[in-house]
Structures are given as C-alpha cells and as structure tokens.
Amino acid sequence: MPPPSVPLQKLGFLTIGSFDGVSPRAGHESTLEVIELGERLGFDGAWLRHRHLQYGISSPVAVMAAATQRTSRIELGTAVIPLGWENPLRLAEDLATVDILSGGRINPGVSVGPPMRFAEVREALYPDTADVEDFTYERVKRLVGLIRGEPASNFQGTVGIEEFSDHVQPHAPGLADRIWYGAASPGSARWAGEQGLSLLTSSVLKAAGPDDTTDFATLQHAQIQTFRAEHPDGENARVSQGLVVIPTDTATPEQRAKYAAYVEARTPRTARPQGPANMLFSPDILGTSEQVAETLYAHAGFRDVNEVVFALPFGFDHADYVQILTDMATMLGPALGWSPRK
C-alpha cells in the first residue's frame, strides 16, 4: 500500500460461516445475510473460508451460488478451496456454472497439498486411489486449464439426440483470469507468480525455521516481493492481504470485552513459529478505526497491496459481525482512503 495519500482500492471481508451442527440452517442463513449486508455497505468482495468435517462452510461453491441470487454487484470468492479434496474437472464445472449465474463475479481461491488430517479421512475420500493421488501444483494447473477451455474429453459430437462437448460446459469467459492462489511459503508464492495467478496472502505464513524472524510483516513483505518478481505483470500483479481486523468504534462495552478476550487468547501463538511446519500467525488488529489504520500503515505487508480481504473472527454472534462490517465500511475503509461501491 502506498502512503496514506493513495487510497485503498478494494475492501473485502472473509467469513468462515460457522454454524450449529444440530441446527445448521441458521448459521448458513446468517452467512448469506452477512453477504447481503456487505453489498449494501458497498464492500467490493465477500469471501468464504473452507472447512471439511468441521462446523464451518464445507461447500463454498454452493453458498456462493445461493449468494448470487441474493446479490447483484458484490464479488464472491473462496479463500481457499483445498484442491486435495476436489476433482478439478468437476470443480471447474461447478465454478463455471456459479460464475455464469453471478454475471462474472466469482474469484476462486485455491491451494494444494494433501487434505488436512488425511490419515483419518483417506478411506472415505479416496478409498481406491489414495496412494496415487497427485496433490501437487499439477492439480491447480489442471483446474486452470479446464476452466480456460482445454479439452476434457477426446470426443465432441452428437450421439442420437445428445450433443457432447470436448471441454467444460458452461464456459465462463474471464473466470480463469480471476483464479487466486493461497500461498503460505516463499516457494508457493514464487510458483503462483510464475503461473500468472493472483496471490492471496493471509494471517498465516510459513517461516523458514523455528529460529527465523518472528516479524510477520517482514515475512509477508518478502513473500509478496517474491511473487511479483516472478509474475508477468510485475508490480501490477494482484495481491490481496487477509488479516484479522476488528474495529470497535460502535461496539458495546460487552462486545469490546469479548473482542479483547478473543485477541488475548490468540496472541501467544504469534510469538514464534508453531508446529513442525513452522507456521507463523499474525497478531489480530483490534481498536478504533483510527488505531487500526495506524497499525496497518505501519505494516510492511499492507504497504505492498492496494486491496484487502479482512478476516472476520471465528465464533462471534451475528450482531457482532454486523457491527464489525458496518464499522469497516463506514469508518475504517474511509480512514484508508477507500470509497464504497454502489
């Protein structure tokens, strides 16, 4: 992000879409209502997290399809779909269908690697092929190629009264150019740049080792620079930053206390890289919009971008999300030079 005199161009938000396992409809309805609110407030994008065998959105493509019928302008994205759970051909069909329904508003964010907790789920997910499944970048390349219109079959023609295409239908023009890659390491950021994808960089990064710098902003800045150095568009390559940001301007005293407790509980994990993968978590940003803006402008990663997807906290009430989104759109966004879309 250039100096404060240069406005933030795009403001989006990200939600996990939590729900009660006993009564899941209410949580899904809440997510759709939050997206509708985001459009009314002028947000540029609403993005959905992805959770399998948990109490969060397991099918963001289905939720986006529902959201296309309740909105008309706001962009809809995924951050991110783990392709280890997906067949690229089937996913290409689903994404193209939803993009057509939306009028070209879908931004698929994806990642690769074995499914989370693969040892426990492999027999249900890939009972016959688990040992030969390819969880590498090739899965992304297959998805992008199929969405672009590369052949999915060696047959095209008419059989009886049925007509067959040799590529994914429907074809969604422009969708392949709106695919994002969620990168956590310098290597994955470099690869995304080489492929000409857009980059989603979140509140979690992979440090080189347990003794590497614990300054999240420094690592994120380096990741973004690595990505743009390899991307055909260079400094103009799209990067969106996704930190957990909680403005408190209109929050009640009870909400402020809840938010502070949430941030305090999560702060210890930001002190050093965590686990065998050396994952480093960004501190959550809590405060008035003026305080949050000051913190962001001091953040080396934020200064590299001109669009953001601020992550909503997990497990809050619907009223909390209404307050946070309203403050983001009416106070924090303008403090960053952003103007709502109409």
Side-chain angles (χ1 to χ4, degrees):
M1 183 71 188
S5 59
V6 179
L8 181 70
Q9 292 182 6
K10 288 198 171 188
L11 175 62
F13 65 90
L14 169 65
T15 178
I16 195 172
S18 300
F19 59 85
D20 182 344
V22 176
S23 182
R25 179 173 179 175
H28 286 80
E29 277 293 324
S30 174
T31 296
L32 291 171
E33 290 170 9
V34 161
I35 294 172
E36 291 179 277
L37 172 64
E39 176 160 279
R40 292 195 301 272
L41 289 170
F43 277 88
D44 296 282
W47 295 68
L48 305 175
R49 287 188 184 271
H50 201 296
R51 289 292 185 270
H52 285 298
L53 303 182
Q54 294 179 269
Y55 302 102
I57 295 169
S58 61
S59 183
V61 180
V63 175
M64 287 195 301
T68 67
Q69 305 306 292
R70 300 169 90 156
T71 60
S72 61
R73 177 200 54 77
I74 195 168
E75 296 181 359
L76 303 166
T78 61
V80 289
I81 298 174
L83 293 186
W85 289 79
E86 306 289 343
N87 179 300
L89 174 54
R90 280 291 302 115
L91 181 59
E93 291 178 325
D94 286 348
L95 289 171
T97 299
V98 177
D99 195 52
I100 293 295
L101 288 172
S102 75
R105 293 186 280 139
I106 301 304
N107 286 266
V110 300
S111 66
V112 297
M116 185 181 294
R117 306 192 68 84
F118 188 41
E120 291 95 341
V121 77
R122 57 180 285 157
E123 292 305 313
L125 185 59
Y126 295 116
D128 304 313
T129 62
D131 292 332
V132 296
E133 288 292 334
D134 183 354
F135 298 129
T136 69
Y137 295 134
E138 289 300 314
R139 224 171 177 93
V140 182
K141 293 167 72 173
R142 284 171 57 199
L143 176 69
V144 174
L146 290 163
I147 289 175
R148 285 200 187 283
E150 292 179 4
S153 169
N154 59 13
F155 175 74
Q156 174 180 293
T158 303
V159 178
I161 62 172
E162 296 192 64
E163 185 175 356
F164 293 87
S165 171
D166 63 355
H167 60 275
V168 166
Q169 295 296 337
H171 176 63
L175 177 58
D177 298 324
R178 284 179 265 117
I179 295 178
W180 299 70
Y181 189 77
S185 70
S188 58
R190 182 178 299 108
W191 179 85
E194 292 170 348
Q195 301 303 308
L197 302 173
S198 297
L199 176 67
L200 288 168
T201 178
S202 72
S203 58
V204 186
L205 294 177
K206 183 177 289 187
D211 299 323
D212 194 17
T213 177
T214 58
D215 183 49
F216 183 93
T218 298
L219 284 175
Q220 191 167 64
H221 167 73
Q223 180 196 58
I224 293 169
Q225 293 303 306
T226 296
F227 165 76
R228 285 184 167 147
E230 302 298 332
H231 198 286
D233 294 337
E235 290 300 310
N236 294 320
R238 291 184 70 183
V239 180
S240 187
Q241 184 197 46
L243 303 179
V244 177
V245 171
I246 311 174
T248 59
D249 302 87
T250 65
T252 65
E254 293 77 16
Q255 287 174 319
R256 290 193 185 98
K258 178 198 294 189
Y259 302 166
Y262 177 88
V263 171
E264 182 179 5
R266 286 160 50 93
T267 297
R269 68 178 186 167
T270 68
R272 62 185 60 85
Q274 303 290 308
N278 294 313
M279 303 308 292
L280 184 65
F281 294 82
S282 169
D284 301 333
I285 303 176
L286 172 71
T288 66
S289 289
E290 182 178 357
Q291 292 168 331
V292 170
E294 182 178 356
T295 300
L296 289 171
Y297 279 122
H299 192 291
F302 180 80
R303 292 198 302 267
D304 282 332
V305 303
N306 57 23
E307 52 186 295
V308 294
V309 178
F310 290 142
L312 296 176
F314 296 169
F316 282 15
D317 295 328
H318 184 83
D320 301 330
Y321 295 135
V322 170
Q323 175 265 312
I324 292 170
L325 287 177
T326 302
D327 283 3
M328 278 186 186
T330 62
M331 299 183 190
L332 176 57
L336 299 173
W338 171 82
S339 299
R341 290 180 62 186
K342 300 300 182 183

